[in-house]
Amino acid sequence: MDLKTSVQVSATGLRAQSLRMRVIAENLANADSVAATPGGNPYRRRVVSFRSEVDRANGGMGVSVKGIEGDKSAFQRTYQPGSPAADAQGYVLQPNVNGLVETADMKAAQRSYEANLNAIEAAKGLTMRTIDLLK
């Protein structure tokens, strides 16, 4: 695999992890969002899934986003009879977003992003050394 291919493979990882971080940030931003209507569903956590793909033009493997799905875990119910989002029994459904899980996912996405960035920097350094040798 040549340096151009390795940079392209790392670039697919950067794009995928960037999207993953945006989705995690959206989850964290909506961690306290309840339904707009009484008895309605609150914000549902979203999760990014990936798939590997082969780039036949350059022979490299990369990663792409397979999809962004809603997390199927149950909403928690809290008793808040005065809330405008409460159902007939006075319960409000809370989003299925766990701040600790989202923070851990964000850290993993950041590290993957940094690893791809370091791979690009290494390829750039190798290219520069090769150019220096050819002078």
Side-chain angles (χ1 to χ4, degrees):
M1 178 165 44
D2 63 358
L3 294 174
K4 179 182 173 189
T5 303
S6 66
V7 169
Q8 289 174 340
V9 168
S10 293
T12 64
L14 288 175
R15 283 190 295 274
Q17 294 303 329
S18 176
L19 176 65
R20 181 179 176 201
M21 287 188 279
R22 279 184 276 161
V23 170
I24 292 169
E26 180 182 317
N27 289 341
L28 287 169
N30 288 296
D32 296 323
S33 300
V34 294
T37 59
N41 286 334
Y43 176 81
R44 182 170 294 278
R45 177 180 184 251
R46 296 171 57 196
V47 182
V48 178
S49 58
F50 302 110
R51 71 171 164 250
S52 9
E53 59 182 25
V54 177
D55 185 356
R56 295 191 194 326
N58 60 25
M61 295 225 16
V63 64
S64 66
V65 175
K66 182 178 179 182
I68 302 173
E69 299 93 23
D71 186 354
K72 303 290 190 242
S73 62
F75 298 120
Q76 291 185 357
R77 292 176 50 179
T78 57
Y79 186 67
Q80 297 175 349
S83 173
D87 61 11
Q89 291 81 29
Y91 287 97
V92 175
L93 293 175
Q94 299 295 325
N96 58 350
V97 177
N98 182 335
L100 291 175
V101 171
E102 298 301 323
T103 303
D105 284 351
M106 180 67 85
K107 194 64 170 173
Q110 285 174 330
R111 288 186 184 198
S112 294
Y113 189 91
E114 288 171 5
N116 283 303
L117 200 56
N118 288 337
I120 290 173
E121 288 296 322
K124 177 182 168 188
L126 288 171
T127 304
M128 295 308 291
R129 282 191 217 134
T130 303
I131 291 171
D132 288 343
L133 289 173
L134 295 174
K135 286 182 181 180

